[in-house]
């Protein structure tokens, strides 16, 4: 059997049409994405390369391409046989609530419900047949998964975790969150490989759980990234103060915002290439720190000898007992925020069935290398009572980064500046991811009818243009960095995002559990899935349980916070290289998102609870309001749609250089489509593995 060629990006979605229509629809989609291959587009004029032609082409790139969406309106609204409609839609004539489906038409249900109607089947089809461009390659997904969102959460906020719980608590908490996220990401990998649809986990909540929950999870995730953008921009402008404090922060806010906007307007390919470069630099920086940290620990600081585990004995391995350990949970979760972005990017991947499992498996190495090993060295090199840690002005204060403190304490002149440059680059990277995550989620919500339709506008280059502009508009909040007290602004912005990731990860685990139950109830075999979670359903239950534990710990530590910690004045000469009085230290309580809140009375405690838990009423309000308005119910297992948008085991391949004479598509160089069956795919995988050495087969299994 000849080796199949690379699948075309536009063929990733399984269409809900009969086999006779599939080939013509795929060919029409290819022509709409590659108009130069059409007969009508081959004609050229004498002025085709004039400046006005390029200007016109640039203007046209922002317009919608009506031919990109390949699903007809009859398929979207389930018009046809009542059997097909009731099987695919979320509801049925037997019940299931106002979630679409049933034997009656959409218009009849809208009249009956007074216009308050949610069409679940249309939502599934629209997210499956997205207009987004599929240009992300395997290397893009791998680097997005490996280091795409490593930023202030690891480099800076880890200092507050060290202060709150000590080095041992910090390692245990990050290992706890890492294990939870390994199970969560395995569940997401199985879902995203089978359903590489727009919106990813928010769409899974709508499809497998309840449209009201999908609505709240989608807006929760979008708000998280919308607020994260100005946070990262402010953090970047504050990081620059390490070199120059006399320059207005608004100048750098403008520079960072323009750079992020340009990267995202280039398209998803530009985002992928930027994250590929950023991630490589971050990986190199962390590996370099690990090697340097080992050398410093063995060689010691100036005027001192071997360090070893000295700071685990004095001041100690733990701080603030069990409550200090629980306080670190949400801070550690904040450091992992964005790890799920690789699932969101699956809808824009060239071949998610092949590249996504590799990216998902690399999450384990990200947890081990980036977090556990590097933070273990931080705990060995920086004591938890270091005055520079206790004197942090905000979560974005790069001077309180334990990575920078460790290098400064070794007396190395140039490396602290290099480490701050890495932090600055990581901040821009996370801001870039913030625009990508928020814009794609908003566009998917619009496709599902859960957001204004204008947010779903996708231009000819596959960019959700309006959503990108809305996301970058939130970046203008970054100019608040010039306020006298930027830390207070940061605290209130963080209040919106504090627990967002926890709810998102819990919804992924729950969606996977419901998906597997529906798969069994509807008589499907697991052999039909291209990728299975290594943790299985048991891992999803564990992930869900651990997410709930983190929420409980956050509520407890917010209502009964650990007492504020003041630095020991006698310790300043021992650790600090800054001149005396250069840093103003305020007694603050470390909180779940890495910020610090001053606690002087009971009112401050109430203020702290609101800051740490304000995400909860937002989610509940969105869920309850949508549920009441649309009267949605939990989708029944037998009514869950397991077909729309599913990437089946057989993959459609294309070949634009096929040999052979005759006319038609083959003669014009257009793609010739063929469908490989699952046995053929398994034969291809086995043949590929047989030709590998043993070490590479082990590597492919793990990575």
């Amino acid at each position: 059997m000849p080796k199949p060629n690379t699948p075309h990006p536009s063929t990733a979605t399984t269409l809900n049409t009969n086999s006779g229509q599939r080939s013509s629809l795929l060919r029409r989609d290819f022509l709409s994405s590659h108009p130069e291959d059409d007969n009508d587009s081959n004609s050229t004029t004498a002025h085709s390369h004039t400046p006005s032609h390029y200007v016109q082409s640039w203007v046209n790139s922002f317009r919608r391409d009506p031919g990109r969406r390949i699903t007809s309106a009859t398929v979207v609204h389930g018009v046809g046989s009542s059997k097909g409609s009731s099987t695919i839609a979320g509801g049925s004539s037997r019940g299931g609530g106002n979630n679409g489906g049933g034997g009656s038409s959409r218009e009849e249900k809208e009249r009956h419900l007074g216009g308050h109607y949610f069409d679940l089947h249309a939502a599934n089809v629209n997210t499956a047949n997205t207009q987004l461009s599929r240009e992300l390659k395997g290397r893009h997904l791998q680097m997005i998964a490996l280091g795409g969102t490593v930023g202030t959460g690891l480099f800076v906020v880890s200092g507050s975790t060290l202060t709150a719980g000590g080095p041992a608590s910090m390692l245990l908490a990050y290992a706890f969150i890492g294990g939870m996220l390994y199970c969560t990401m395995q569940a997401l990998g199985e879902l995203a490989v089978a359903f590489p649809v727009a919106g990813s986990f928010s769409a899974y909540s709508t499809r497998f759980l309840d449209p009201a929950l999908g609505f709240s999870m989608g807006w929760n995730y979008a708000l998280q990234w919308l607020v994260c953008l100005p946070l990262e921009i402010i953090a970047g402008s504050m990081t620059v103060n390490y070199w120059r404090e006399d320059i207005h922060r608004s100048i750098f806010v403008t520079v960072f915002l323009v750079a992020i906007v340009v990267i995202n307007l280039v398209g998803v390919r530009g985002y992928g290439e930027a994250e590929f470069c950023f991630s490589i630099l971050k990986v190199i920086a962390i590996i370099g720190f690990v090697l340097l940290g080992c050398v410093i620990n063995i060689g010691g600081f100036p005027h001192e000898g071997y360090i070893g585990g000295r700071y685990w004995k004095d001041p100690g391995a733990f701080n603030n007992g069990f409550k200090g350990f629980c306080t670190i949970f949400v801070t550690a979760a904040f450091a992992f925020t964005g790890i799920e972005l690789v699932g969101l990017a699956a809808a824009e991947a060239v071949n998610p069935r092949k590249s996504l499992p590799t990216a998902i498996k690399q999450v384990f190495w990200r947890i081990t290398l980036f977090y556990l090993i590097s933070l273990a060295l931080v705990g060995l090199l920086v004591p938890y009572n270091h005055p520079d840690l206790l004197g942090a002005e905000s979560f974005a204060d790069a001077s309180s980064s334990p990575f920078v403190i460790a290098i400064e304490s070794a007396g190395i002149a140039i490396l602290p500046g290099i480490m701050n440059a890495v932090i600055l680059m990581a901040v821009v990277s996370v801001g870039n991811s913030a625009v990508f995550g928020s814009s794609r989620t908003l566009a998917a919500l619009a496709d599902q009818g859960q957001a204004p339709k204008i947010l779903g506008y996708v231009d000819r280059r596959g960019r959700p243009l309006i959503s990108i502009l809305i996301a970058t508009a939130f970046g203008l909040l970054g100019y608040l960095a010039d306020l006298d007290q930027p830390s207070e602004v940061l605290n209130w912005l963080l209040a919106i995002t504090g627990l967002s990731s926890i709810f998102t990860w819990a919804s992924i685990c729950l969606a996977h559990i419901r998906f597997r139950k529906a798969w069994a109830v509807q008589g499907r075999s697991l052999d039909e899935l291209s990728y299975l979670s290594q943790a299985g359903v048991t891992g999803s239950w564990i992930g869900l349980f651990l997410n709930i534990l983190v929420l409980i710990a956050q509520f407890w530590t917010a209502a009964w916070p650990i007492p504020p910690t003041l630095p020991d004045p006698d310790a300043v000469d021992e650790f600090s290289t800054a001149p005396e009085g250069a840093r103003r230290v305020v007694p603050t309580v470390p909180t779940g998102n890495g910020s610090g809140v001053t606690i002087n009375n009971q009112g401050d405690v109430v203020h702290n609870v609101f800051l740490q838990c304000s995400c909860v009423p937002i989610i509940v309000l969105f869920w309850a309001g949508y549920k009441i308005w649309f009267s949605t119910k939990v989708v029944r297992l037998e009514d869950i749609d397991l077909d729309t948008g599913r990437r089946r085991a057989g993959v459609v391949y294309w070949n634009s250089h096929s040999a052979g004479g005759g006319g038609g598509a083959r003669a014009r160089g257009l793609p010739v489509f063929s469908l490989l069956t699952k046995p053929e795919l398994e034969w291809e995988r086995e043949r590929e593995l047989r030709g590998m050495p043993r070490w590479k087969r082990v590597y492919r299994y793990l990575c």
Side-chain angles (χ1 to χ4, degrees), residues 548-666:
I548 294 174
L549 281 185
V550 172
L551 291 175
I552 295 173
Q554 174 70 352
F555 294 144
W556 178 49
T557 56
W560 292 275
I562 59 178
T565 303
L566 281 171
D568 182 2
D570 297 332
V572 174
D573 294 335
E574 179 183 353
F575 300 118
S576 181
T577 58
E580 185 177 357
R583 178 181 292 275
R584 180 177 61 89
V585 179
V586 178
T588 60
V589 172
T591 57
N593 51 32
S595 60
V597 178
T598 304
I599 302 293
N600 293 320
N601 50 51
Q602 193 64 30
D604 292 335
V605 173
V606 175
H607 177 228
N608 182 49
V609 172
F610 184 78
L611 280 176
Q612 304 311 311
C613 305
S614 60
C615 175
V616 177
I618 294 176
I619 292 176
V620 172
L621 181 63
F622 274 63
W623 170 78
Y626 195 87
K627 196 168 189 65
I628 293 173
W629 187 259
F630 287 96
S631 301
T632 62
K633 295 183 180 180
V634 176
V635 185
R636 294 167 38 158
L637 294 176
E638 58 268 26
D639 295 329
I640 288 178
D641 183 1
L642 298 177
D643 295 308
T644 304
R646 179 162 66 89
R647 171 66 69 89
R648 301 178 186 275
V651 180
V652 180
Y653 289 96
W654 67 289
N655 183 7
S656 59
H657 304 287
S658 299
R666 188 180 298 274

Side-chain angles (χ1 to χ4, degrees), residues 142 354 357-358 361 531 534 685 688-689 692-703:
Q142 291 174 27
K354 182 177 180 180
T358 301
K361 292 176 184 177
Y531 176 77
Q534 293 178 337
R685 285 195 291 264
E688 184 180 5
L689 289 174
M692 295 180 181
R694 183 181 297 274
W695 69 267
K696 194 170 185 179
R697 278 181 282 177
V698 174
Y699 173 81
R700 286 289 299 270
Y701 176 79
L702 296 176
C703 301

Side-chain angles (χ1 to χ4, degrees), residues 264-331:
N264 280 273
L265 286 182
V266 169
V268 70
R269 183 68 177 270
Y271 165 77
E273 294 294 348
E275 285 306 306
F276 181 79
C277 297
F278 288 149
S279 296
I280 287 179
L281 293 177
K282 284 185 281 189
V283 170
I284 293 174
I286 292 179
I287 293 176
F289 175 81
V290 169
L291 297 177
L292 178 63
C294 294
V295 173
I296 294 175
N297 185 264
I298 296 173
F301 294 142
H303 312 297
E304 297 181 19
Y306 172 72
I307 298 174
R310 178 192 309 168
Y311 298 132
W312 283 57
K313 298 177 181 179
D314 182 22
F318 294 92
N319 188 29
N320 297 311
F322 182 69
K323 184 172 289 186
F325 172 68
C326 292
T327 302
I328 299 176
F329 278 158
V330 177
T331 314

Side-chain angles (χ1 to χ4, degrees), residues 122-266:
N124 292 339
V125 173
N126 286 336
T127 54
N129 296 279
T130 177
Q131 294 180 342
L132 299 174
S133 179
R134 293 184 176 272
E135 296 182 10
L136 290 178
K137 298 182 179 179
R139 62 184 178 89
H140 298 140
L141 290 181
Q142 291 174 27
M143 296 311 296
I144 290 172
L146 193 59
T149 54
V150 173
T152 54
L154 173 64
F155 291 124
V156 181
V157 179
S158 56
S160 68
T161 66
L162 183 59
T163 301
S169 292
M170 178 176 66
L171 275 181
L172 291 174
Y174 274 83
F176 179 93
I177 298 296
M180 177 186 80
L181 286 178
Y182 176 78
C183 297
T184 302
M185 291 303 296
Q186 286 294 319
L188 177 60
E190 180 176 316
L191 291 173
V193 171
F195 300 94
V197 299
S200 190
F201 24 86
S202 64
Y204 301 150
S205 294
T206 298
R207 178 186 292 231
F208 301 123
L209 300 172
D210 180 8
L213 185 62
F215 174 80
S216 62
M217 289 296 101
W219 277 103
N220 164 66
Y221 193 73
L223 287 174
Q224 170 189 335
W225 284 117
L226 289 173
V227 173
C228 183
L229 176 60
L231 283 175
E232 295 297 331
I233 291 176
I234 292 175
S237 66
M238 295 177 68
T239 302
V240 175
N241 287 345
Y242 178 84
W243 296 281
R244 293 284 299 273
E245 295 186 359
D246 58 335
I247 302 179
H248 288 291
R249 292 172 179 170
S250 58
I251 297 176
F252 296 100
V253 169
T254 303
V255 172
F256 297 146
L257 188 58
V258 169
I260 291 171
V261 171
V262 169
I263 290 174
N264 280 273
L265 286 182
V266 169

